[in-house]
Amino acid sequence: ATITNPGTPLSGSVTLSGTGADAVGLASMRFEYRLNGSAGAWSTACTDTSPPSPFSCSWGTTAVADGSYELRSVAVDQAGNARASTTVAARIVDNNGPVVSVTGPAQVRGTTNTITTTVTDASAVTSVVIRRRATGSTGAQTTICTDNTGPAYTCTWNVSALADGSSWELTAVATDALGRSTTSAIYTSVVNSTGPTGTDVQSTNGGTNDRLDSGDRVIFSFSAQIAPASILPGWNGTSTAIRVRV
């Protein structure tokens, strides 16, 4: 038995074909698949029961998950004996567009902010276009950049001309080798070009008046979210014991 390499990537209905020979004649040829590199059982893609050789039939690849597969043919003779062909490996099934998301940053400033994305696809990704528009607006998006290189698709965003405090919706459009495109969910990024300022200080008494004791609180409010390590080196924001001198 032999199988003809169907190429890669594969999508939709794919014709699988092969040849076979037997001293008493062939009854059918079955085409099978399994995940590439797997030691698991083979599944039937389709069967041609109309000899003589060559044989062919149609495999509906939408019935399987996107991924990399091994393919083979199995020739069956008139006595029911079967023999498999050599394997054609790493045939990519890709019936869906890429999965893409923008992953950061949540705050930007200055001229060199790196927008990061996560992109996966069964076949190769050919490009990722990163776009922006003002949060809540309905206008057209503006392209920040296009990355054709991968595998980490990123973009440098210069926000020096944007208003401090302005909020922006970021999306990424990924296109794979079959021309399928997917647009990510909206990721919100805020321009924060100036340092934080203190806005309020409040205290509450949790115990005895005129004494510092358990439950007393002092709350410092700032104009923006503060990096914990900028207040106490090595602090990540979790509950931490401190000493207060008054």
Side-chain angles (χ1 to χ4, degrees), residues 100-102 117 119 128-131 170-174 182-185:
V100 56
S101 62
V102 178
T117 65
V119 189
V128 174
V129 180
I130 298 175
R131 300 172 176 170
L170 305 181
T171 59
V173 181
T182 304
T183 301
S184 72

Side-chain angles (χ1 to χ4, degrees), residues 72-132:
R72 72 178 185 180
S73 67
V74 179
V76 182
D77 69 13
Q78 297 292 340
N81 302 304
R83 176 166 291 179
S85 70
T86 57
T87 298
V88 176
R91 301 300 88 184
I92 303 297
V93 171
D94 187 0
N95 286 296
N96 301 286
V99 177
V100 56
S101 62
V102 178
T103 55
Q107 296 190 40
V108 290
R109 66 174 182 173
T111 59
T112 54
N113 301 277
T114 301
I115 303 172
T116 57
T117 65
T118 298
V119 189
T120 58
D121 190 70
S123 56
V125 174
T126 58
S127 69
V128 174
V129 180
I130 298 175
R131 300 172 176 170
R132 68 171 172 89

